[in-house]
Amino acid sequence: MDDDEALIEAAAQARSHAHAPYSGFAVGAALRDRSGRVHAGANVENASLGLSICAERAAVCRAVAEGARSFDAIAIVTASEVLTPPCGACRQFLVEFAPELRVLLADLRGARAEYRLAELLAHPFRDYRPARSGG
Ligand code: THU
């Protein structure tokens, strides 16, 4: 199994632990950091629906807590009819740490697609510091 398929497998494993009783849509994500370590997450929903967190952001939080700061790839696994790229909020969350990220999409039946985060989020918000003379 190559590295990308191993990452997809880690995302599929995490997906099996998703807490998605409200949408019924389980998502798994796995980030590979620059030293090759893998950090996985699953979506976690809540009865207060707006509190739900996506699998991708769960994976980033876990990775950061485990000491990782830069990443080369994320795998995202769902079982939908079409492959599902990360939502806009997750794209913004990912670009903070990995503007060059490869985004691997997969389902459980062998469908695969690959994007660059830079193409999914063309003009990210990156720097909130005001200009020095801008007031
Ligand atoms: N979801 C993710 O985990 N990642 C995404 O990029 C989009 C959506 C989750 C959130 C919610 O638990 C379920 O999928 C349905 O939107």
Side-chain angles (χ1 to χ4, degrees):
M1 191 189 292
D2 72 15
D3 288 353
D4 286 351
E5 283 301 315
L7 197 63
I8 289 167
E9 179 55 35
Q13 276 293 323
R15 179 183 173 277
S16 70
H17 301 298
H19 177 67
Y22 305 103
S23 71
F25 189 64
V27 185
L31 273 166
R32 185 171 61 228
D33 70 28
R34 296 270 187 206
S35 64
R37 281 194 305 159
V38 170
H39 313 270
N43 56 330
V44 180
E45 298 183 349
N46 190 271
S48 178
L49 298 176
L51 298 182
S52 300
I53 183 161
C54 296
E56 296 88 333
R57 275 176 286 160
V60 170
C61 291
R62 183 170 180 187
V64 169
E66 289 173 346
R69 278 291 186 282
S70 62
F71 308 100
D72 58 36
I74 186 169
I76 301 164
V77 173
T78 61
S80 59
E81 300 242 316
V82 293
L83 293 172
T84 55
C87 78
C90 288
R91 294 177 199 196
Q92 178 68 30
F93 211 73
L94 288 163
V95 82
E96 179 86 10
F97 297 102
E100 314 282 322
L101 194 68
R102 295 169 58 227
V103 179
L104 312 173
L105 308 181
D107 70 10
L108 304 175
R109 294 180 298 191
R112 304 284 185 264
E114 178 175 344
Y115 298 94
R116 294 264 164 189
L117 183 57
E119 65 179 312
L120 296 178
L121 187 64
H123 300 284
F125 177 76
R126 288 192 63 82
D127 193 340
Y128 60 85
R129 282 171 294 180
R132 231 172 278 173
S133 59

